[in-house]
Amino acid sequence: MSNPDDLWPENIADANLITPVTILKEQAALLGEKTKQLVTGEVVTQTSGSLFVHYFYIVAPTLNYTFELFQVSHGINFYPLILRHLNTTTQLTSESEFKDKLKEILSSQHTLNVVHSILAQVRS
Amino acid sequence: MPRFLFWNLNKREIPGFVHNLARQEDADVLILAECRIPPAQLLEQLNADSSDYHYAPGNCGHLVFFTRFNARFLTPLFESHRISIRRLQLPARQPILVAAAHLPSKLNYSDADQVFESVHLAAMIDEVERREGHQRTILLGDLNMNPFESGMVAARGGLHAVMDRRVAARLTRTVQKQKYKFFYNPMWSHLGDSGNSGGTFYFENGEPVCYFWNIFDQVLLRPDLLDGFAHEHVRILTEVHGYSLLEDDGRPDKTMASDHLPVLLELNF
């Protein structure tokens, strides 16, 4: 029996959306797996007013070294989302656009250089 | 059930042994003393097959930590040159304290000196327990004392570690009208011929008193954790992937591996 005083819809708790931070954390974990955990990814989230801001770091745990690769901010609806990378700000309107942009950044020469340099530093 | 492995490597560069031992024993938390192997090199070796070990950074000069858990779950709360006390907070489990120590050697310290080191270690553990608001604590390490030595068993500042879990389960003992918390020390049961080795460290000299075998590498538990601990959950390890860590005469093979034997703890909490 439904409670007449309960004004919430039945599906209020059915959340199966993929959040941007989930996508970021998956990529962060994958970097560690690929480098034997010598270089890992780390996502730190802060809230600022109604905005969520996610910082994506490249980390060398054995050196206690952290490098900010890019940051992402979005409101309660996830998209449009703002991505800041190398002094460039891009607005992304959907999950697929976000993933495409992430792929572009993670496979860029700049990211490769950063990861390779940190790896070399870790091993030296 | 989480598994904790402690090994004093005696400054030997034996990353292959460490890798094989950690994998053989499915160690979730690996704590090494006298480790001269650079952490990155050891991490690469540990993850040679799959990348599930993480370096858990800290500032303890004598101890290094690796874990298969997220390294953020193993947070340093107190660290000094020879002591590291960390909070292990696993999802859906109560937090515990993992205290590790490598106390000074008998080569450089008198019995009295070692008692003072024990008092310092016990005080640091007590302080962190007060701050954290619980006493779910394990202590692992090369304490450079046997379970029966004063620094291990004494109350009034010592570790107050007893051989009988029923005694430890009384939680405290009153001495001179003050209460002192117990540790349970399961290592007492491993002295002598009960296992493959007589202890974790062998030392023989010409002095009148010589124990030959010593258990310097120990695991201690607070009574609050005893429900998740059984006698067989602590083991002195003598074999790695079919290679014995002992020489033919039964002593630790320090030319191949370390002069200390590793100790494993399994604990449900």
Side-chain angles (χ1 to χ4, degrees), chain B residues 148-222:
Chain B
F148 48 80
E149 293 188 51
S150 300
M152 296 301 305
V153 298
R156 287 182 82 75
L159 288 164
H160 204 204
V162 296
M163 68 175 86
D164 184 335
R165 63 188 293 160
R166 289 164 301 187
V167 172
R170 284 155 41 186
L171 304 180
T172 60
R173 179 168 69 109
T174 302
V175 180
Q176 295 292 321
K177 298 188 177 177
Q178 271 198 299
K179 285 185 176 177
Y180 295 94
K181 294 181 279 189
F182 283 117
F183 267 110
Y184 169 57
N185 188 350
M187 306 310 294
W188 280 90
S189 309
H190 294 264
L191 283 164
D193 286 339
S194 62
N196 293 330
S197 70
T200 64
F201 182 79
Y202 187 91
F203 182 71
E204 185 174 341
N205 62 19
E207 294 174 9
V209 175
C210 177
Y211 299 119
F212 299 92
W213 276 105
N214 302 274
I215 296 192
F216 292 161
D217 307 275
Q218 304 192 47
V219 168
L220 277 59
L221 305 97
R222 284 289 194 210

Side-chain angles (χ1 to χ4, degrees), chain B residues 1-4 228-229 232-235 264-268:
Chain B
M1 190 171 353
R3 298 160 76 95
F4 303 82
F229 175 78
E232 62 273 16
H233 289 167
V234 64
R235 289 188 285 129
L264 181 82
L265 167 70
E266 296 172 65
L267 184 67
N268 199 9

Side-chain angles (χ1 to χ4, degrees), chain B residues 85-86 95-100 125-126 128-130 132 134-140 181-184 220-226 265 267:
Chain B
I85 305 175
R86 300 183 180 216
I96 68 166
L97 295 173
V98 179
I125 292 171
D126 187 57
V128 175
E129 285 178 338
R130 283 174 200 271
E132 292 291 293
H134 67 80
Q135 293 165 31
R136 294 183 299 276
T137 306
I138 58 172
L139 168 62
L140 306 95
K181 294 181 279 189
F182 283 117
F183 267 110
Y184 169 57
L220 277 59
L221 305 97
R222 284 289 194 210
D224 285 359
L225 290 171
L226 287 180
L265 167 70
L267 184 67

Side-chain angles (χ1 to χ4, degrees), chain B residues 17-167:
Chain B
F17 268 111
V18 177
H19 161 267
N20 289 341
L21 189 68
R23 294 289 172 182
Q24 169 184 289
E25 301 298 337
D26 276 331
D28 295 303
V29 177
L30 173 63
I31 306 169
L32 302 171
E34 294 199 51
C35 178
R36 284 261 174 97
I37 311 164
Q41 184 189 337
L42 191 48
L43 188 61
E44 203 158 14
Q45 181 79 47
L46 283 167
N47 289 334
D49 309 317
S50 64
S51 297
D52 41 8
Y53 277 100
H54 305 265
Y55 175 67
N59 288 312
C60 178
H62 275 251
L63 300 162
V64 287
F65 286 66
F66 297 90
T67 179
R68 294 205 296 195
F69 303 126
N70 187 322
R72 287 176 174 272
F73 295 168
L74 196 58
T75 312
L77 300 172
F78 169 84
E79 294 205 302
S80 65
H81 190 47
R82 289 178 174 271
I83 299 169
S84 178
I85 305 175
R86 300 183 180 216
R87 180 197 302 123
L88 178 60
Q89 171 78 75
L90 301 180
R93 290 178 197 247
Q94 287 192 308
I96 68 166
L97 295 173
V98 179
H102 178 214
L103 298 187
S105 162
K106 288 185 183 300
L107 292 174
N108 307 313
Y109 265 49
S110 68
D111 290 350
D113 292 331
Q114 290 193 300
V115 169
F116 279 106
E117 286 296 324
S118 280
V119 168
H120 173 67
L121 172 59
M124 293 306 103
I125 292 171
D126 187 57
E127 186 183 317
V128 175
E129 285 178 338
R130 283 174 200 271
R131 283 205 312 252
E132 292 291 293
H134 67 80
Q135 293 165 31
R136 294 183 299 276
T137 306
I138 58 172
L139 168 62
L140 306 95
D142 174 4
L143 305 181
N144 265 306
M145 284 176 285
N146 277 300
F148 48 80
E149 293 188 51
S150 300
M152 296 301 305
V153 298
R156 287 182 82 75
L159 288 164
H160 204 204
V162 296
M163 68 175 86
D164 184 335
R165 63 188 293 160
R166 289 164 301 187
V167 172

Side-chain angles (χ1 to χ4, degrees), chain A residues 33 36-38 42 122-123, chain B residues 43-44 47 51 53 72:
Chain A
E33 288 174 23
K36 301 190 187 305
Q37 305 298 347
L38 294 177
E42 197 170 300
V122 164
R123 288 183 170 130
Chain B
L43 188 61
E44 203 158 14
N47 289 334
S51 297
Y53 277 100
R72 287 176 174 272

